[in-house]
Amino acid sequence: MMDSKTPIITADQAGLARAAQILARGGLVAVPTETVYGLAARADSDQAVQRIYAAKGRPDHNPLIVHVADLAKARAYALVQPEAEALARQFWPGPLTLVLPRKSDARLARAVTAGLPTLALRAPAHPAMRALLALCEFPLAAPSANRSGFISPTCAAHVAASLDGRIDLILDGGPCAAGLESTIIAVREDGTREILRPGPLFADEPVSAPGNELEAPGQELRHYAPGKPLRLGAMTPEADEFMIGFGEVAGDCNLSPDGDLTEAAAQLYACLHLGALAQKPGIAVACVPDTGLGRAINDRLRRAAS
Ligand code: TXA
Ligand code: MG
């Protein structure tokens, strides 16, 4: 693919117009969302979607989330039963992805759903992403904007560190507010719901045990990896460890000196990126309580450590 540097531009009106133009032609643009940065391509183009998989090195059995402006747009691609509609009305735009029965006539690239009968849909809340969707006449497929398996990006510099030269443009919309990927909820044809991935919403509800790989693709244990050993529940670092603190447990950086889980979620990936870049060959992380948002944080940390 390309080997020149990928431009990073501010997500202002001119930047958004340029991004929309690149996307219309089938290019790849990293975009800010309220959760993490996404690597967007038009979801109705086989070629454009193939480029996402190639740039990330993503296995092709792992389907993508399709981003739309609102519920009305979502209905073109999936069956939205009343249970799903209620969730969308309450939480869209926002950090909620709904896995719904895919419409057979949905005009989407085949690779988006990786052969599944269901489709993951999300209406993101970040103002720049909403403005971009308004400029595009097509939905945007967007996984997190990192090389497959590595730490998710919560600022433009994280994207560049992982994908520089492999994508066409990075739109800089500042740091992501939530800092953790969206909660994924599957709404089955009988209206029952299952949480497939813990996230910023429904933090206290139980997550479905991963079933077979077809039902819960992309929930591999190894994920979000910093590229060096990661030790969880640490009180003090070993000499060769970069320490990520929490609350009163100090470190080279701290997820939240006040012990606030919302702040810790927003800082998690930035701290893991610091640990990955540090000279020390290992990373230690303080204990994060396994309640509320802490459960989603610990889900990511366990995968990063495995
Ligand atoms: O917050 C987010 O969701 C971010 C931003 C960019 O929107 N996106 C994101 O995408 O986290 P990604 O590709 O890193 O994670 C999407 C997850 C994957 O684990 C994938 O397997 C799962 O969603 N997924 C996609 N379609 C699915 C489907 N039909 N059924 C079950 N899981 C699905
Ligand atoms: Mg990801």
Side-chain angles (χ1 to χ4, degrees):
M1 206 175 277
M2 298 159 277
D3 52 11
S4 57
K5 288 233 173 266
T6 300
I8 303 179
I9 62 172
T10 305
D12 55 13
Q13 229 177 341
L16 289 164
R18 185 165 155 198
Q21 207 171 48
I22 291 171
L23 289 165
R25 293 192 199 122
L28 297 184
V29 179
V31 294
T33 86
E34 72 277 27
T35 58
V36 300
Y37 274 70
L39 179 58
R42 57 185 302 163
D44 61 352
S45 159
D46 283 312
Q47 269 182 328
V49 169
Q50 274 313 328
R51 292 188 61 207
I52 292 181
Y53 285 89
K56 281 184 60 97
R58 183 177 177 106
D60 61 8
H61 63 260
N62 191 357
L64 305 177
I65 297 172
V66 171
H67 296 70
V68 292
D70 51 35
L71 180 59
K73 287 267 164 40
R75 290 189 197 282
Y77 307 106
L79 279 175
V80 185
Q81 300 109 312
E83 294 79 6
E85 177 170 339
L87 288 170
R89 286 197 187 282
Q90 193 175 352
F91 297 107
W92 281 2
L96 173 68
T97 294
L98 292 173
V99 169
L100 305 174
R102 177 192 198 277
K103 276 192 174 170
S104 56
D105 61 351
R107 285 180 46 197
L108 292 172
R110 282 180 59 85
V112 164
T113 48
L116 291 176
T118 52
L119 172 65
L121 283 162
R122 176 162 106 84
H126 193 291
M129 183 62 169
R130 287 174 60 72
L132 183 62
L133 282 166
L135 290 175
C136 295
E137 285 162 5
F138 39 79
L140 293 174
S144 52
N146 52 274
R147 292 284 200 110
S148 186
F150 291 92
I151 310 168
S152 302
T154 51
C155 66
H158 295 162
V159 179
S162 192
L163 294 172
D164 190 26
R166 303 178 69 84
I167 64 178
D168 298 299
L169 185 69
I170 299 172
L171 261 187
D172 187 349
C176 302
L180 283 183
E181 292 84 353
S182 60
T183 302
I184 303 182
I185 299 186
V187 181
R188 305 302 181 194
E189 296 211 40
D190 64 3
T192 55
R193 67 188 205 200
E194 265 179 86
I195 299 187
L196 302 183
R197 179 174 71 183
L201 294 171
F202 299 94
D204 289 304
E205 286 193 24
V207 176
S208 304
N212 60 54
E213 204 179 85
L214 270 185
E215 279 179 322
Q219 293 299 90
E220 307 89 354
L221 196 56
R222 191 184 158 284
H223 213 133
Y224 317 107
K228 48 177 87 164
L230 183 70
R231 186 165 65 87
L232 305 182
M235 287 300 292
T236 50
E238 303 293 333
D240 60 354
E241 286 175 331
F242 178 91
M243 178 78 192
I244 300 177
F246 177 75
E248 291 183 345
V249 179
D252 297 295
C253 62
N254 195 311
L255 293 169
S256 169
D258 294 335
D260 178 75
L261 289 171
T262 305
E263 182 182 19
Q267 296 305 319
L268 176 65
Y269 292 134
C271 286
L272 286 173
H273 275 277
L274 285 178
L277 288 173
Q279 296 290 329
K280 301 269 172 74
I283 304 174
V285 190
C287 183
V288 175
D290 209 37
T291 55
L293 203 45
R295 294 170 60 227
I297 295 171
N298 283 321
D299 167 76
R300 305 307 194 269
L301 282 173
R302 271 192 302 275
R303 291 172 201 276
S306 73

